[in-house]
Amino acid sequence: MTGAELKAQARAQLGGGIFKNEWLTALAVCFIAMAICSAAGGLLSGIGALILSGPMTYGVAYVFLKQSRDGQPMNVADVFRGFPEDFGGTLLLGLLSSLFTFLWGLLLVVPGIVKAYSYSQAFFVKVDRPEYDWRACMDESIQLMDGHKMDLFILDLSFLGWYIVGALCIGVGTLWVYPYHMAARTKFYEELTRYQMR
């Protein structure tokens, strides 16, 4: 599926307009996750953000993937599912994927970017396979992204213009772009999993 098709599906998932209920709910989900991680970043020299980013990222992935599949309205409360369901597992997944990406980035920028894309599906995998530990999620993500990292990079790059326009709107516009971007990444994951099953 092309990037344009994935983006079209993402817009449809969000109701087709930036002021539709689905889009605004998705915006609320993303804003809550970002606000909590940002606020936690001020605690203990950023350690708070490291602790919370894994569970919150899992929650965002869960909300978008569930809504993409069942077509039902998003439940904002689901953004916190990472805490009761598997706090330790999502914490480790967030910490270690960030750590490994950082360590690869110390070698050169490009290897760090490549690894970031290799691990990019790990939280979606965790949603689908809650019994997986952090290593299994990362390994599955690496396998899914084998030969597809450039595809996701191009998809991400296609949002650059949207983010620039959003930034020009006093930065507030980026709040509407991120849910669109996240929905497109969710569709990308679903396409990857279908591709692997062929």
Side-chain angles (χ1 to χ4, degrees):
M1 192 175 293
T2 66
E5 290 171 325
L6 292 173
K7 291 169 79 172
Q9 286 195 5
R11 289 193 299 273
Q13 177 183 340
L14 297 175
I18 63 173
F19 295 112
K20 295 290 187 179
N21 287 339
E22 293 87 348
W23 203 307
L24 293 175
T25 304
L27 185 155
V29 166
C30 296
F31 179 78
I32 289 170
M34 289 187 291
I36 288 175
C37 290
S38 178
L43 303 174
L44 301 175
S45 300
I47 294 176
L50 288 175
I51 292 172
L52 296 182
S53 64
M56 295 307 295
T57 303
Y58 171 85
V60 172
Y62 179 92
V63 169
F64 275 83
L65 194 56
K66 181 177 184 298
Q67 196 258 351
S68 177
R69 287 174 173 170
D70 65 22
Q72 297 301 307
M74 292 181 178
N75 182 352
V76 176
D78 281 339
V79 75
F80 300 105
R81 289 184 75 97
F83 294 95
E85 290 192 355
D86 189 0
F87 175 74
T90 56
L91 166 66
L92 282 174
L93 182 56
L95 282 175
L96 293 172
S97 59
S98 296
L99 175 63
F100 291 160
T101 301
F102 172 74
L103 292 176
W104 278 98
L106 289 178
L107 297 177
L108 282 173
V109 174
V110 173
I113 294 173
V114 169
K115 283 301 176 182
Y117 276 92
S118 293
Y119 305 145
S120 63
Q121 309 304 303
F123 280 98
F124 288 122
V125 172
K126 182 66 175 174
V127 172
D128 273 344
R129 299 281 188 268
E131 72 279 7
Y132 279 12
D133 63 9
W134 65 270
R135 170 54 71 185
C137 290
M138 290 172 65
D139 287 345
E140 180 77 8
S141 179
I142 291 169
Q143 181 179 344
L144 285 170
M145 291 299 290
D146 185 28
H148 300 286
K149 290 184 280 293
M150 184 58 70
D151 298 328
L152 183 55
F153 177 76
I154 292 171
L155 178 64
D156 287 343
L157 198 61
S158 72
F159 282 92
L160 182 60
W162 287 97
Y163 280 112
I164 291 172
V165 171
L168 293 175
C169 299
I170 323 175
V172 177
T174 58
L175 293 176
W176 271 263
V177 178
Y178 186 72
Y180 179 25
H181 191 179
M182 184 64 192
R185 274 183 156 235
T186 303
K187 294 299 184 182
F188 181 86
Y189 169 75
E190 292 194 274
E191 183 68 12
L192 272 184
T193 53
R194 280 194 291 268
Y195 179 82
Q196 293 291 324
M197 293 172 63
R198 290 172 189 166

